[in-house]
Amino acid sequence: MSGGGPALSFGLLAPFGGILLSSILIVVVGARRTKSVADYFVAGNRVTAVQNALALTGDFVGVGGLFAITGLIGVFGADGYVLAIGAICGFPLMLFLFAEPLRRLGQYTFGDVITSTLGNEQVRVLAATTQLILVLVQLTAQLVGAMSLLRLLFGLSDATSLILIGLTVIAYVLIGGMVATTWLQIVKASLMIIVAIFVAALALARFGFSPLSLLQHAVSSRGTAAIVPGRLFVSPFDTLSILLGLALGNASMPHVLMRLNTVTNPVAARRSVFMGIGLIVVFHLVVLILGFAAMVIVGGPAIRHADPGGNMALPLLTRALGGDVLLGSISAIALATILAVVTGLVMAGSAALTQDLWVSAFRRGAAPREQLLVGRIATVVLVAIALGLTLLCRGQNIGFLSALGYSIAASANFPALLLVLYWRRRTTLGVIAGMATGLVSSLALIVLSPLVQVGILHRAAAIFPLQNPAVISIPLALAAGVVVSLATARHPVHSRP
Amino acid sequence: MARPGSKPLAGAPGPAADISASFWSASILLAFVFGFVGLLSFARQLLAVQIVSGLSIYVSVMVGLTLAIWTLSWIYMRRLRRLEQDGRGRGDA
């Protein structure tokens, strides 16, 4: 897997062709169903709860979930699953706190929710800016992943990979809109879950279909270190910070929240998130099996040899179990996953630019035709910026870039949503202070953390000792929101009934 | 947070009984997270114990926690259904 990519075979290329053809079909069908602004941004609010559950699962479970966690378990043992627990908590938090209220309040974007509750349009610009930063960071992380995958599989140069991916994403979003984006996620999530279960079953077949036997073999090959804590997470504050960042960040990512508006009503939003939780729980339990199977069948050293971050554990396992056809299938699904997540992110960014900035700040009362045109121009601009950032971030760790996005979402979006939806005494200035504090503090602490100071700038020590800022930046944002709200409580902006 | 039976909060869509269910479910979930980190920090020796050969308490706790998270969501959904049947839920928009 290392080097310029494996020799191309029919078994490797056929699944890619299948995925590409089916996605083109989805985009063409999506284009026929996209006629209005609501069709373009929120699929006309016609998505059913089951469809949305699959689409949410697709947004939620990216390559980070499948490849990275399998690799972490394969290399570090059970400790790798700690990240999965943080990620799994995000969906229930969204169900408990946001699913129904957001569907009731929101129209297209995160900014809609904030402004419809506060009745103040000024806060929308800050909301849109935060969402754009989040979308660009997450887009960059996903594109770096796609670039690495194409380089590993086909030996394509970074520039060629980016041009191909950029053109594909622009075509998908421009032509198909949210309808196509949703169906891409539905198909991809279904395929990913089916293939992951199939690979896990193939792996378990080698151990008499007994997970316990698999664990015993893991202990035989790697010692008890495979099933005890302490290999990956040592500092309690760091562990808590990572878990909180993942949980609260996953619950408040703009492209995931936007999906809540695609269903018919608030109850369908709640049901879809609940069904999504079931799918995500099953998926992560399968990933636990895949991780230990990779440890036993492939081996930690071989995984690290292919990729020091362990990200290629699953492709190596699938090749060991099913040859090129299975490797091609899992890689094609991984690429489809990245494309689907990227299209969802571009939709969220395009909606923020169009609805929160253009329609609200510059051209109030813009005609639907103009909104669609601006949305499509915004798509091209966003993808172009993200491609430029991806070239700058070549060689950076995908996990680091993703964690950056989750930390920002957990620090800026989560406290703002909590204040807006659940605290009667919050004021517009309080919400603005909370969002701004969360955004600035999370960005500043990430820059001062060992990830940047030691990992990227190669300094001896970092000013801020934790890898993840969430444990500091989330309380800081909440405190700023509460204090400023109380300080400005004499002049509250009245909420809409 | 409002108690069940009180007036709906301004800006918080839905009756207070619903909000109370949301608040308690989210609090329990966060207690799971903090409890898990507490175990990781202060009970490593306990987590390292093998219940049977190959299966440590650590792996069991993580699988159990994953299933507990789903169970908590299921209880929340059931609670909301009952509130709706009693006419105290959010219902359809």
Side-chain angles (χ1 to χ4, degrees), chain A residues 78-79 81-82 89 92-93 96 100-101 104 215-216 224 227-229 233-234 236 243 265-267 270 274 277 421, chain B residues 12-13 22 29 34 37 40-41 44 48 50 53-56 58 62 66 69 73-74 76-77 80 84 90-93:
Chain A
D79 257 5
Y81 193 71
V82 171
C89 287
L93 274 179
F96 302 149
E100 276 190 74
R104 196 177 298 275
L215 286 171
Q216 284 166 347
T224 52
I227 54 165
V228 300
F233 298 100
V234 180
L243 285 176
N265 58 51
V267 174
R270 186 216 304 166
F274 177 64
I277 293 168
L421 295 173
Chain B
S22 300
L29 185 74
F34 280 90
V37 174
L40 265 179
S41 310
R44 279 206 184 143
Q50 292 187 46
S53 174
L55 182 63
S56 64
Y58 187 41
M62 288 199 287
T66 303
I69 290 167
S73 309
W74 177 74
Y76 172 79
M77 291 294 285
L80 254 59
E84 279 166 7
R90 289 168 176 139
D92 279 27

Side-chain angles (χ1 to χ4, degrees), chain A residues 409-462:
Chain A
S411 309
N413 284 3
F414 192 88
L417 282 173
L418 213 56
L419 289 172
V420 161
L421 295 173
Y422 290 100
W423 194 41
R424 181 168 36 179
R425 295 172 68 188
R426 79 278 181 272
T427 62
T428 302
L429 278 177
V431 174
I432 290 173
M435 278 183 77
T437 305
L439 179 66
V440 173
S441 64
S442 58
L443 284 173
L445 291 176
I446 285 166
V447 170
L448 298 176
S449 75
L451 279 167
V452 173
Q453 295 292 316
V454 180
I456 296 173
L457 300 176
H458 304 295
R459 293 194 175 146

Side-chain angles (χ1 to χ4, degrees), chain A residues 144-158:
Chain A
V144 168
M147 196 169 67
S148 308
L149 192 65
L150 286 178
R151 188 175 55 230
L152 279 163
L153 284 171
F154 301 121
L156 294 179
S157 72
D158 290 347

Side-chain angles (χ1 to χ4, degrees), chain A residues 136-429:
Chain A
L136 281 172
V137 170
Q138 288 296 90
L139 266 178
T140 307
Q142 294 290 331
L143 289 173
V144 168
M147 196 169 67
S148 308
L149 192 65
L150 286 178
R151 188 175 55 230
L152 279 163
L153 284 171
F154 301 121
L156 294 179
S157 72
D158 290 347
T160 312
S161 303
L162 281 183
I163 289 168
L164 281 175
I165 296 164
L167 289 175
T168 311
V169 170
I170 287 171
Y172 280 9
V173 178
L174 286 190
I175 300 168
M178 189 54 132
V179 178
T181 306
T182 300
W183 276 101
L184 278 174
Q185 285 291 18
I186 291 169
V187 172
K188 175 228 95 178
S190 309
L191 282 174
M192 187 185 252
I193 291 169
I194 290 166
V195 171
I197 290 173
F198 180 67
V199 176
L202 277 182
L204 276 180
R206 293 197 177 190
F207 305 95
F209 289 101
S210 164
L212 191 60
S213 172
L214 171 63
L215 286 171
Q216 284 166 347
H217 278 84
V219 172
S220 302
S221 64
R222 297 289 297 281
T224 52
I227 54 165
V228 300
R231 294 199 64 202
L232 198 55
F233 298 100
V234 180
S235 156
F237 282 110
D238 241 340
T239 312
L240 183 64
S241 201
I242 288 166
L243 285 176
L244 282 180
L246 278 171
L248 275 57
N250 267 312
S252 49
M253 287 302 284
H255 67 296
V256 180
L257 294 177
M258 198 173 162
R259 288 229 168 271
L260 298 172
N261 294 325
T262 62
V263 290
T264 47
N265 58 51
V267 174
R270 186 216 304 166
R271 285 184 185 143
S272 67
V273 179
F274 177 64
M275 284 186 262
I277 293 168
L279 291 171
I280 284 160
V281 162
V282 170
F283 176 82
H284 280 97
L285 290 175
V286 170
V287 166
L288 187 63
I289 291 170
L290 291 172
F292 279 112
M295 177 190 283
V296 177
I297 295 169
V298 182
I303 296 170
R304 282 198 146 175
H305 176 71
D307 178 71
N311 292 318
M312 288 296 114
L314 188 60
L316 290 171
L317 177 67
T318 51
R319 175 179 266 178
L321 291 169
D324 272 356
V325 176
L326 204 54
L327 172 66
S329 303
I330 204 89
S331 305
I333 291 167
L335 192 64
T337 298
I338 293 171
L339 284 175
V341 173
V342 166
T343 50
L345 283 164
V346 171
M347 280 305 306
S350 162
L353 268 171
T354 312
Q355 300 300 326
D356 293 340
L357 290 180
W358 185 259
V359 175
S360 301
F362 300 111
R363 289 269 297 170
R364 281 178 187 277
R369 197 183 175 90
E370 182 182 326
Q371 290 183 38
L372 277 174
L373 178 69
V374 173
R376 285 174 169 143
I377 293 169
T379 298
V380 179
V381 172
L382 267 173
V383 173
I385 296 172
L387 291 179
L389 286 173
T390 307
L391 279 174
L392 288 175
C393 292
R394 269 184 298 187
Q396 296 298 328
N397 183 281
I398 304 164
F400 158 68
L401 291 169
S402 289
L404 196 76
Y406 287 121
S407 298
I408 297 168
S411 309
N413 284 3
F414 192 88
L417 282 173
L418 213 56
L419 289 172
V420 161
L421 295 173
Y422 290 100
W423 194 41
R424 181 168 36 179
R425 295 172 68 188
R426 79 278 181 272
T427 62
T428 302
L429 278 177

